[in-house]
Amino acid sequence: MTDKIAVTLRVNARDYRIEVEPRRTLADAIRTDCGLTGTHLGCEHGVCGACTVIVDGHAVRSCLMFAVQAEGSHIRTVEGLADGERLSPVQQAFHDHHALQCGFCTPGFLMLATAILEDNPRIGADDLRHALASNLCRCTGYHNIVIAVQAAAEKMR
Amino acid sequence: MTWVGRSLKRFEDAPLLTGRARFMADAAIGARAVRFVRSPIAAGRIARIDIPDGVSAVTGADLIGVKPFRPRLNRSDFTPIEQPILPTDRVRFVGEPVVAVIAETPEAAEDAVDSVAVRFEPTPAVTDFVSALKADAPRVHDHAPANTVVDAKIRPPAVEAAFATAAHTVAIAIRSGRQSAFPLETRGARADYDPATGRTTLTVSTQMPHIVRTGLADVLGMREDDLRVVAPAVGGGFGQKMCPTPEYVVLIWLARRLKGSFAWIEDRHENLMASFHSRDQAHTVKGAFAADGKLLAIDVDLLCNIGAYSCFPVTHGVEPLMAMAEFPGPYDFPAYAARARAITTNTCPMAPYRGVSRPAITLAMERLMDTAAAKLGLDPVAIRRRNLVATFPYTSATGIKYDAGAYREALEIAAEKVDLPGFRARQMAARAEGRYLGIGFATFNERTGYGTPAFAPRMMDVTLGYETVEVAMDPSGFVEARIGASPHGQGLATTLAQIIADELGVAPDTIRVIHGDTDRTPYGWGTFASRGIVIVGGACKIAAAKLAVRLRAVAATLLQTEAGKVELADGRAALAGGPASIPIAELARAAYHQAHQFKDQPDIGLSARATYDPDGTYSNACHVAIVEVDVETGGVRLERFLAVEDAGRLVNPTIVDGQVRGGIVQGIANALFEEILYDQAGNILTTSLMDYAVPTAAEIPPIEIHHLETITDASITGAKGVGEGGAIGAPAAVINAVADAVESLGVAVYEMPIAPQRLRALIRAATGKKR
């Protein structure tokens, strides 16, 4: 298990040449090998969604994917959302609507919401709530997360 | 213009939104990884430990001189129990750490854990309090017969008399399932030894850095100043991250011994198995009622499964004694008898979790009210109206003073908002279509923001309660507020800045709140027990007011006036009623760099320190849930949830709403979804999110909140605590609603969580149908 494989991960439009064990998850590679610790691990079995990143346009649980599987894909993480100091519409809406408390689930929700809205900014309220049910938050009770994503959707239409 | 009362956006958000915040696992990168071999059995002896060559490991035998955790209450009805850091002879629950394994990376450490062979000799285990209480039950701790480690009683003679003459006696038994606080970030820590100073820094995901330092230094036999405890960004705690645990002791021991850096990050499996649990209680309640529904007396037997060990510093007395003291809740009745027992079992230890016993006692009291209402032909609002405390201050049946609240107002507003008569009509119509709707009310109060006067009667070795704050303005005019408490998502960096800003006349964004570092903050307790805004906020107000006195004195010298005539506002010190003014930043510069001008001042520079240690203040609320039960599946759909709550002055209304909603959703989870389960042998059955059902956005309806603001002098800021109330009231409201929905089927619901299979079993039993 310890023979390492050279992989190039393209994260937030930058190439990271790393060497990883085949069993290394994409989440661990992003965090430890690329040094992008904004992606969080809450359960490591694909339920909580804290580790959600965007891989080739799709919201993906990075704890359920191996780093070697992501070679050649375009990966986006929370570190790539803002334009310099300017927050993305989803980030700004989370701030404006108090959609985070401890903030641990926040990167995963931001990536999930970004993927949902980039796919369809006109998504209906019920479908949106259902899609946001992909991830867990323990602090907010979800109320303000739903409101924030709806507000971001308005801006992204 | 004042800052308190405004929904200022949070100063905490920017790093959390951009991925720059540093959580525990981020801080652990680069340290050597420590992982734990844990007991796979609930009870037994450790016969032999085989560590393969090449594997670096620590067992209990290595930890010479390290003391066990031994939290104490100094009362005769309390039996202390010890927790070894790594046991050498016996294990007492599945998940108990036995061997620590060290490797260069987490993956290598996890592989090494698998290579360690521990031979256990299992002995009989007890996991539930019914079997644990039997005289011949196996003992979890040899010195605790019937596994009873707290047995507290109150029985005034008036209780017998009240029951003897009461028109009605209503008896119920409720059961509260075991729940995990489930912070989304698991626990973890990193210890770094500094060879230059000989000190060790423990970075740990905690709610209470100072007492964690004290507790760890004590068991390690260290000078406390040789240990620095730092809390990074903390990804939720809700009580689970209050207490020091064996894993942290091992990390510090390793760092000091091997003069290096060692880290452990818990995985979710460990977190559900071996981090603290809560809420495993059964209450048997009898209420004596007059013919008109007035409650005359309560007699309650409270059983709390506290798991295998105690928790420092609050001890295993925290759940039973809290339940006993607070059981009377918002109701006025004169006679109260209670027996409260803590039962130790071969299960994961308990620690406080948002609400601490009050979700269960509120369930018990609110089910009692609805059961009595049905018996007496009253509606749920009428029986509560008849019994809620209406005049304040009020002294409860357990002798606790309630400051003013809005108990009846909250109930009346809630009843009006949900239109009870309108709902009953809709419920009837739905029933005719074979649909089962139900409504549930829960009224409750919650003691919040209490200091040492409230903790002292518990007779703890460690009496918690006060908070100290240092507020200092630097020469550039920026303010630092150093607090001993340590927030984990509550937004204190924003709300405390609002309180301080009003006292100093500066903008909140010029104030930085420093927390979570024992080297940088005064000794204090932490964020728990709905206390942050009341006690830390109060200390901030007092300290900032003291600093304002200093600022006015400096300004008076520079403006050539008297201090009493100086007003601080909008970043300037101004002569009242005149045009002369000076920027506060200039005052700051002068105070430090022209100190010779202020010889009449007691001190050089601009800082002030204050401690606040209040008796406590009661928040209150009425929650209402409307549900629809699918009687074929046992599924419960929440149609509406409403809370009318009184937490005094709202420092930041948006943040308050966030606290209320977050608590309510954890309460809904308590009522409908989440339960930690063990089998009879003590194997835990719920160690993944496939088994432990945390609700998502799909299960939760929008939650309506209405505020009342009763201001009392029990809180110097007027704010009452708001962190736990949501979790306290919501379970009872939901269970009452489910009970109301299925009452016509002859189904009685007195347990939570009422998961679908459990509700179906009740429906089957009541209707005599096989499926």
Side-chain angles (χ1 to χ4, degrees), chain A residues 24 91 101 129 138 142, chain B residues 10 17 26 107 674 695 700:
Chain A
R24 192 134 178 110
Q91 287 172 311
Q101 289 182 27
R129 201 169 184 101
R138 193 57 162 174
Y142 302 107
Chain B
R10 296 199 323 167
L17 287 164
D26 313 336
E107 292 89 340
E674 294 177 17
I700 302 299

Side-chain angles (χ1 to χ4, degrees), chain A residues 23-24 31 37-38 40 42 45 78 85 91 95-96 98 100-102 105 110 129 133 136 138-139 141-143, chain B residues 9-10 13 17 25-26 107 111 180-182 184 235 238 268 489 658 661-662 665-666 674 689 695-697 700:
Chain A
R23 64 177 172 175
R24 192 134 178 110
R31 288 178 48 78
T37 54
H40 297 154
H45 57 278
V78 67
E85 292 304 307
Q91 287 172 311
H95 180 54
D96 292 345
H98 187 34
L100 64 155
Q101 289 182 27
C102 83
C105 75
L110 292 172
R129 201 169 184 101
L136 296 180
R138 193 57 162 174
C139 295
Y142 302 107
H143 189 93
Chain B
K9 290 181 204 167
R10 296 199 323 167
D13 287 359
L17 287 164
D26 313 336
E107 292 89 340
D111 290 345
S180 168
F182 192 83
L184 204 66
F238 315 112
R268 186 55 67 185
R661 288 202 176 92
V665 172
Q666 291 186 14
E674 294 177 17
L689 288 169
T696 71
I700 302 299

Side-chain angles (χ1 to χ4, degrees), chain A residues 16-30:
Chain A
Y16 293 82
R17 289 182 179 76
I18 59 175
E19 290 192 352
V20 296
E21 292 181 34
R23 64 177 172 175
R24 192 134 178 110
T25 64
L26 178 58
D28 283 339
I30 289 170

Side-chain angles (χ1 to χ4, degrees), chain B residues 219-244:
Chain B
V219 299
L220 283 154
M222 291 172 69
R223 273 172 56 159
E224 200 163 330
D225 73 317
D226 275 344
L227 183 61
R228 174 186 182 192
V229 173
V230 173
V234 174
F238 315 112
Q240 196 182 76
K241 292 177 180 171
M242 281 173 62
C243 309

Side-chain angles (χ1 to χ4, degrees), chain A residues 1-115:
Chain A
M1 292 297 279
T2 53
D3 288 343
K4 290 191 173 176
I5 295 175
V7 186
T8 299
L9 291 185
R10 188 159 184 77
V11 188
N12 302 328
R14 188 184 143 186
D15 285 335
Y16 293 82
R17 289 182 179 76
I18 59 175
E19 290 192 352
V20 296
E21 292 181 34
R23 64 177 172 175
R24 192 134 178 110
T25 64
L26 178 58
D28 283 339
I30 289 170
R31 288 178 48 78
T32 307
D33 301 299
C34 304
L36 299 169
T37 54
T39 298
H40 297 154
L41 288 163
C43 75
E44 295 176 280
H45 57 278
V47 180
C48 80
C51 68
T52 302
V53 299
I54 298 175
V55 178
D56 297 331
H58 301 288
V60 162
R61 301 207 186 307
S62 61
C63 76
L64 290 187
M65 190 167 172
F66 292 116
V68 292
Q69 291 175 289
E71 182 146 47
S73 291
H74 185 178
I75 300 158
R76 291 161 64 198
T77 70
V78 67
E79 288 90 346
L81 286 181
D83 178 8
E85 292 304 307
R86 216 178 97 206
L87 298 178
S88 77
V90 179
Q91 287 172 311
Q92 187 62 47
F94 269 57
H95 180 54
D96 292 345
H97 297 278
H98 187 34
L100 64 155
Q101 289 182 27
C102 83
F104 192 80
C105 75
T106 306
F109 265 106
L110 292 172
M111 300 319 288
L112 173 68
T114 299

